[in-house]
């Protein structure tokens, strides 16, 4: 199963030989993970690595990775019901079509979400860009978040967020683990790109993470050296970045 990573069901707690064994198994799971009760969820299945499939009071299913804290943000939605979840296991994602591109551009949020569930989200979507890259480019950050939660490949998405100054999307991708030290085809790091394009807010966002400030571009210059050069050319808004890098 893909989305919030791969997982495989080890056992359903309720699938026991007798009704009493099923009750005891569910009770044990609830006692082992009491945090789920505060979220009005109960565990119903265990995955191979210790993660849990839980069901809420509305019958919706979620997956929790055992390496994360038990809180709403770390519950990955699996389906509106057990039946919907089981049905989704048999559906193979399809390649995006020109109709899907039109839907992305003009469709409702509900229709786009249905499309996301149907297509291969990491396949080329439009202009050799992934769906996540397109969403970051046009500032559909609600979709960026959906795709991140579904395990979309984050490669190249930070650069696309920068194009139209999508700072909120940029920060969301950073928080989700996008590669802060990615380089473009010219050999410029993301940090150097933000400085060349005089986008100090993006540079500051990168500096909150483990970005390599010593990386040198094709001209053997570090981000600090490029920033100093740009300030000397009149880009006064980069003076704070020079101070941060010094």
């Amino acid at each position: 199963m893909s989305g919030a990573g791969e997982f495989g069901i080890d056992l359903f707690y309720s699938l026991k030989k007798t009704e009493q064994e099923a009750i005891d198994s569910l009770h044990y799971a609830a006692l082992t993970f009491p945090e789920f009760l505060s979220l009005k969820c109960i565990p119903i299945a265990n995955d191979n690595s210790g993660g849990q499939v839980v069901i809420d009071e509305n019958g919706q299913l979620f997956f929790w990775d055992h390496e994360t804290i038990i809180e709403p943000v770390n519950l990955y939605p699996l389906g509106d019901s057990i039946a919907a979840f089981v049905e989704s296991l048999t559906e193979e994602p399809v390649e995006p079509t020109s109709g899907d591109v039109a839907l992305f551009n003009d469709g409702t949020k509900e229709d786009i979400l249905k499309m996301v569930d149907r297509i291969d989200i990491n396949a080329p979507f439009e202009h050799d860009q992934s769906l996540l890259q397109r969403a970051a480019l046009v500032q559909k950050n609600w979709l960026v978040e959906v795709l991140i939660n579904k395990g979309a490949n984050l490669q190249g998405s930070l650069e696309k967020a920068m194009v139209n100054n999508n700072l909120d999307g940029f920060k969301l991708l950073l928080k989700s683990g996008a590669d802060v030290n990615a380089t473009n085809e010219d050999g410029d790091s993301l940090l150097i790109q933000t400085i060349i394009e005089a986008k100090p807010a993006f540079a500051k966002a990168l500096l909150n993470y483990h970005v390599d400030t010593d990386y040198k571009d094709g001209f053997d210059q570090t981000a600090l050296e490029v920033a100093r050069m740009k300030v000397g050319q009149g880009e006064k808004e980069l003076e704070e970045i020079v101070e941060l890098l010094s």
Side-chain angles (χ1 to χ4, degrees):
M1 179 69 195
S2 63
E6 299 287 331
F7 73 90
I9 298 297
D10 182 28
L11 63 89
F12 279 91
Y13 296 120
S14 58
L15 296 182
K16 298 294 182 177
K17 292 182 178 179
T18 68
E19 181 179 347
Q20 187 57 51
E21 286 179 331
I23 293 173
D24 290 344
S25 181
L26 288 168
H27 186 236
Y28 170 79
L31 290 177
T32 304
F33 302 99
E35 297 91 341
F36 286 122
L37 298 180
S38 64
L39 302 180
K40 297 183 179 180
C41 297
I42 59 170
I44 62 170
N46 182 65
D47 100 312
N48 295 327
S49 63
Q52 300 293 308
V53 175
V54 301
I55 189 169
D56 71 7
E57 60 183 343
N58 298 313
Q60 293 182 302
L61 266 65
F62 300 86
F63 174 72
W64 167 74
D65 187 321
H66 74 290
E67 294 183 345
T68 63
I69 299 172
I70 298 178
E71 55 185 28
V73 70
N74 292 325
L75 297 184
Y76 172 75
L78 297 178
D80 293 334
S81 66
I82 293 178
F85 170 57
V86 172
E87 182 180 350
S88 71
L89 297 179
T90 64
E91 298 175 353
E92 291 293 330
V94 298
E95 295 289 315
T97 66
S98 58
D100 293 321
V101 173
L103 190 63
F104 170 83
N105 292 326
D106 302 314
T108 65
K109 182 176 181 179
E110 181 180 3
D111 287 338
I112 292 174
L113 287 172
K114 289 179 180 178
M115 176 193 70
V116 168
D117 287 336
R118 177 174 47 78
I119 68 170
D120 180 353
I121 59 175
N122 289 319
F125 188 76
E126 184 181 16
H127 305 311
D128 291 326
Q129 298 171 7
S130 70
L131 181 56
L132 177 58
Q133 291 172 352
R134 291 293 296 162
L137 179 67
V138 302
Q139 305 190 43
K140 288 189 177 181
N141 291 332
W142 66 267
L143 182 54
V144 169
E145 186 169 7
V146 167
L147 292 168
I148 289 171
N149 290 334
K150 283 186 170 291
N153 188 332
L154 305 182
Q155 184 176 358
S157 53
L158 286 171
E159 293 92 330
K160 297 302 179 184
M162 285 173 53
V163 172
N164 290 323
N165 294 313
N166 183 6
L167 184 59
D168 288 340
F170 191 82
K171 290 179 177 179
L172 180 58
L173 289 160
L174 286 174
K175 182 179 178 181
S176 302
D179 184 5
V180 297
N181 292 310
T183 57
N184 63 13
E185 57 187 18
D186 295 324
D188 295 328
S189 67
L190 269 173
L191 180 59
I192 290 176
Q193 289 176 58
T194 65
I195 294 170
I196 291 174
E197 297 175 21
K199 296 185 176 184
F202 288 84
K204 287 173 65 176
L206 282 170
L207 290 172
N208 288 324
Y209 294 84
H210 298 293
V211 62
D212 183 4
T213 57
D214 295 322
Y215 176 87
K216 293 186 177 182
D217 63 12
F219 297 98
D220 203 34
Q221 290 183 308
T222 64
L224 175 58
E225 291 170 329
V226 175
R228 284 173 173 164
M229 178 184 69
K230 296 292 287 186
V231 169
Q233 294 172 348
E235 303 286 358
K236 300 301 183 183
E237 64 267 38
L238 292 172
E239 289 179 346
E240 183 181 2
I241 303 304
V242 170
E243 292 179 9
L244 291 172
L245 289 171
S246 296

